[in-house]
Amino acid sequence: DAKTTQPPSMDCAEGRAANLPCNHSTISGNEYVYWYRQIHSQGPQYIIHGLKNNETNEMASLIITEDRKSSTLILPHATLRDTAVYYCIVRVNNNAGNMLTFGGGTRLMVKP
Amino acid sequence: GAVVSQHPSRVICKSGTSVKIECRSLDFQATTMFWYRQFPKQSLMLMATSNEGSKATYEQGVEKDKFLINHASLTLSTLTVTSAHPEDSSFYICSAIEDTEAFFGQGTRLTVV
């Protein structure tokens, strides 16, 4: 799986949009971009994933650049409960048992 | 989404004893499960891949005789930390793939005293 690079930490004001960047310049054509988050002392929680089109669900939006070398996770209205470590992962999307390889992630602190 | 349940969520054991952690896929069958370990303020590190009906595959540096993995059914994998030492104190997390998506258990906080 391709390596990803994320800033180690970010702050965001409550109610504002949180934009979390991720670089994955060596991503392969068949690799998807996944985002997970981990709230303290819990297992990772799936947020969203995409291949090349922008995606949106009830939790977040995912913007992938046209060359697919970077992406941004957007939490439109951050709340205090969104404080967590956010992991950007690229992987092949199949059911052959691909494990997830976690990088350092971004520690997002949402402040009142 | 699918649910992966881990038990126990917290355990404290004495040095030299063994601890078993269970990982269950509650509403789907998982031929493959993964075990991760996470030390404070660090990322998740894959320890091993658990395969139903066959031997687990361990990552480099992970002692297979110390971390025993059993995947006897399509819904249950167990990790046994044998002869635990204080340095084994960590957060252990399991994961299972269902229809290409990865789902995680809530984690087990192991403290060896």
Side-chain angles (χ1 to χ4, degrees):
Chain A
D1 289 344
K3 182 178 178 180
T4 62
T5 304
Q6 298 176 253
S9 65
M10 290 182 63
D11 289 345
C12 177
E14 187 179 19
R16 305 297 293 270
N19 298 292
L20 292 90
C22 179
N23 286 323
H24 31 79
S25 58
T26 59
I27 191 170
S28 301
N30 62 345
E31 287 182 313
Y32 286 67
V33 180
Y34 278 78
W35 283 83
Y36 285 79
R37 73 180 183 184
Q38 185 179 27
I39 295 171
H40 182 63
S41 292
Q42 296 183 24
Q45 174 191 22
Y46 167 82
I47 300 173
I48 199 168
H49 77 281
L51 182 63
K52 51 184 177 182
N53 296 322
N54 297 337
E55 301 288 344
T56 296
N57 63 21
E58 64 279 2
M59 290 183 69
S61 294
L62 174 61
I63 308 297
I64 303 174
T65 58
E66 193 169 340
D67 63 7
R68 303 208 323 122
K69 292 185 177 182
S70 65
S71 61
T72 301
L73 178 74
I74 302 173
L75 308 178
H77 305 288
T79 71
L80 298 179
R81 288 178 294 181
D82 292 321
T83 292
V85 178
Y86 288 77
Y87 295 100
C88 168
I89 298 168
V90 293
R91 64 182 280 252
V92 176
N93 193 15
N94 61 46
N95 58 5
N98 277 61
M99 72 289 191
L100 299 181
T101 301
F102 288 82
T106 295
R107 187 173 297 274
L108 176 68
M109 180 73 71
V110 180
K111 298 183 175 181
Chain B
V3 177
V4 175
S5 177
Q6 236 178 290
H7 179 79
S9 58
R10 288 179 176 272
V11 59
I12 300 173
C13 73
K14 291 185 177 180
S15 187
T17 62
S18 296
V19 173
K20 180 185 286 188
I21 302 169
E22 293 186 347
C23 180
R24 296 181 184 272
S25 55
L26 295 187
D27 48 2
F28 67 100
Q29 294 182 330
T31 56
T32 304
M33 292 186 178
F34 304 98
W35 287 96
Y36 294 82
R37 180 169 52 181
Q38 185 177 32
F39 292 107
K41 298 195 176 183
Q42 294 186 23
S43 188
L44 285 75
M45 295 296 294
L46 181 68
M47 297 175 65
T49 301
S50 170
N51 303 297
E52 188 269 333
S54 65
K55 291 183 178 180
T57 304
Y58 291 82
E59 295 299 300
Q60 190 173 10
V62 178
E63 300 174 59
K64 63 179 181 180
D65 294 330
K66 179 170 184 62
F67 299 98
L68 301 180
I69 292 173
N70 183 277
H71 195 155
S73 78
L74 290 172
T75 59
L76 174 64
S77 175
T78 61
L79 169 68
T80 301
V81 182
T82 63
S83 187
H85 291 287
E87 56 264 32
D88 298 323
S89 297
S90 188
F91 192 53
Y92 293 85
I93 305 167
C94 71
S95 171
I97 306 288
E98 199 265 337
D99 193 25
T100 77
E101 301 307 329
F103 297 92
F104 291 84
Q106 61 267 53
T108 297
R109 174 79 56 195
L110 171 63
T111 303
V112 184
V113 297

